[in-house]
Amino acid sequence: MLTHANQLLQQAADRCFNVVAGCLPGLLALLMILLFTVLTAFLVRAVLRRLLLRFRFDDRVTQWGLPELAGWEPARRPSTVIAQLSFWMVVLLGLLAGVSALDSGLTSVLVVRLFDYLPKVAAAAVVLIAGFL
């Protein structure tokens, strides 16, 4: 009886080990994708912020008649807000791509549905901004 219980426990431990070992390459790929994505997001944020400052985007926002946006404190200037939003969008897209690297059927379906949903979110953001202006 004791040997039978030990065999069952050993089989369960072997199955768990095989599942974990099967997930490790996907987790490693996820971590590598996230690292690359975060570095890319920092670069995108820095370049976009410098471009917006070079083109005097904050001054143009004031000229467009939106002084309440241009009057924000320095950490909340429109150029900074747009740069931060671009940073988080790149990180989100990288996270979705990294999750799809796990090769799980559920995560693949989740990522596909989220990518299908992104155009609707973008359209809603455009409508919101147009309504605000």
Side-chain angles (χ1 to χ4, degrees):
M1 176 76 167
L2 187 57
T3 59
H4 183 62
N6 282 337
Q7 286 176 348
L8 289 176
L9 288 175
Q10 184 63 35
Q11 288 174 356
D14 287 342
R15 280 190 303 234
C16 289
F17 178 74
N18 289 336
V19 168
V20 170
C23 289
L24 284 180
L27 288 175
L28 183 61
L30 171 69
L31 291 176
M32 294 300 290
I33 290 171
L34 280 178
L35 177 67
F36 177 73
T37 301
V38 168
L39 292 175
T40 304
F42 277 120
L43 181 67
V44 166
R45 180 178 66 181
V47 168
L48 185 61
R49 187 158 190 270
R50 287 181 191 252
L51 282 174
L52 289 175
L53 290 176
R54 178 173 286 168
F55 292 126
R56 297 181 29 213
F57 180 74
D58 297 332
D59 296 335
R60 293 182 194 272
V61 167
T62 303
Q63 290 174 353
W64 292 339
L66 301 171
E68 61 273 2
L69 287 179
W72 287 350
E73 62 190 56
R76 297 277 188 200
R77 293 188 309 201
S79 60
T80 305
V81 170
I82 290 174
Q84 282 295 103
L85 284 174
S86 68
F87 172 84
W88 287 111
M89 288 301 293
V90 171
V91 169
L92 177 67
L93 290 175
L95 180 65
L96 292 176
V99 167
S100 70
L102 292 176
D103 287 336
S104 174
L106 179 61
T107 57
S108 296
V109 170
L110 174 69
V111 169
V112 167
R113 286 194 180 213
L114 285 175
F115 274 122
D116 287 342
Y117 191 67
L118 284 178
K120 295 176 185 176
V121 172
V126 168
V127 169
L128 181 67
I129 290 170
F132 180 73
L133 296 176

